[in-house]
Amino acid sequence: MDRPGLDRALRAGADALAIGLDDRQVEQLLDYLELIQKWGRVYNLTAVRAPAEMLTQHLLDSLAVVPPLLRRTQGRALRVLDVGSGAGLPGVVLAICRPELRVDCVDTVAKKAAFIQQVAATLQLPNLRGLHDRVERLAGPYDVVTSRAFASLADFVGWSAAALAADGVWLAMKGKRPDQEIAQLPPAVELFHVEQLAVPGLDAERCIVWLRRRAVT
């Protein structure tokens, strides 16, 4: 699929998700897709190579979390941490679509964190940073800690607990509802919502598992 075709598909997908993207954001998202294509093999960013598949499986999949997140943040200038970010999904997409958010993408692989820094510079995103570190060493505080196909829920919240603000939330992007993982959550963490997502053009289950610290009674 050529650039005009990707442009049309991206706009149609965003409309289906009720996300209002301006022309600059569309250009930034497509430029980001090209950067993943260009550097994907060098940095081992993704196994998906075809642009049309990348659009659906990466961009639209990440865009699907924007409306649920916005309902949570209400447009406030909050700090977001994307754990095990890899190519920057969903962190880069969030930074493009919601410039009021300050997004840090952390990865233990130096070249992947460097790729995020390159994306931030190339796309002129002052609200985006790539961090080469272990999430356990980050102090935060972050209002939202997110991950996409990263680890089990128990590991995700365990490793990132120190980075989460006292009243913050975890946003875990998953495929099917992970009931077994939910059952293995530590007592100090509570599930407060599993939100089903419909990704345009993707015939697969997707959901957000929303978590927070359990209130001390």
Side-chain angles (χ1 to χ4, degrees), residues 103-106 112-114 116-117 120 128-132:
V103 181
D104 287 348
C105 296
V106 63
K112 292 182 179 179
I116 301 301
Q117 288 290 82
L128 175 67
R129 289 194 307 168
L131 304 178
H132 172 222

Side-chain angles (χ1 to χ4, degrees), residues 139-200:
Y142 292 93
D143 304 286
V144 179
V145 177
T146 186
S147 69
R148 176 178 180 264
F150 168 62
S152 71
L153 291 175
D155 284 343
F156 170 48
V157 300
W159 293 335
S160 62
L164 186 72
D167 58 349
V169 296
W170 284 284
L171 184 169
M173 297 175 66
K174 293 287 185 177
K176 293 182 179 181
R177 179 188 170 105
D179 287 317
Q180 185 173 352
E181 292 184 27
I182 290 169
Q184 295 170 348
L185 283 167
V189 175
E190 73 171 333
L191 166 76
F192 67 92
H193 188 33
V194 176
E195 187 164 359
Q196 299 299 321
L197 301 176
V199 179

Side-chain angles (χ1 to χ4, degrees), residues 9 11 15 30-31 43 83 101 150 154 174 176 185 188 194:
R11 291 178 188 273
D15 287 346
L30 293 178
D31 287 347
Y43 291 143
V83 180
L101 299 176
F150 168 62
K174 293 287 185 177
K176 293 182 179 181
L185 283 167
V194 176

Side-chain angles (χ1 to χ4, degrees), residues 30 70 73-74 100 113 116 119 150-151 174 192 194 205 209 217:
L30 293 178
L70 184 58
T73 64
Q74 296 293 309
E100 76 277 7
I116 301 301
V119 169
F150 168 62
K174 293 287 185 177
F192 67 92
V194 176
E205 292 185 55
V209 180
T217 57

Side-chain angles (χ1 to χ4, degrees), residues 10 34 41 43 63 88 95 102 106-107 109 115 118 120 131 133 136 145 151 161 166 189 201 204 209 217:
L10 176 56
E34 288 185 358
R41 291 185 187 278
Y43 291 143
L63 280 170
R102 289 172 292 157
V106 63
D107 204 286
V109 179
F115 173 74
Q118 183 179 1
L131 304 178
D133 210 336
E136 301 96 314
V145 177
V189 175
V209 180
T217 57

Side-chain angles (χ1 to χ4, degrees), residues 60-71:
L60 294 181
D61 189 58
S62 295
L63 280 170
V65 307
V66 172
L69 180 61
L70 184 58
R71 287 193 292 271

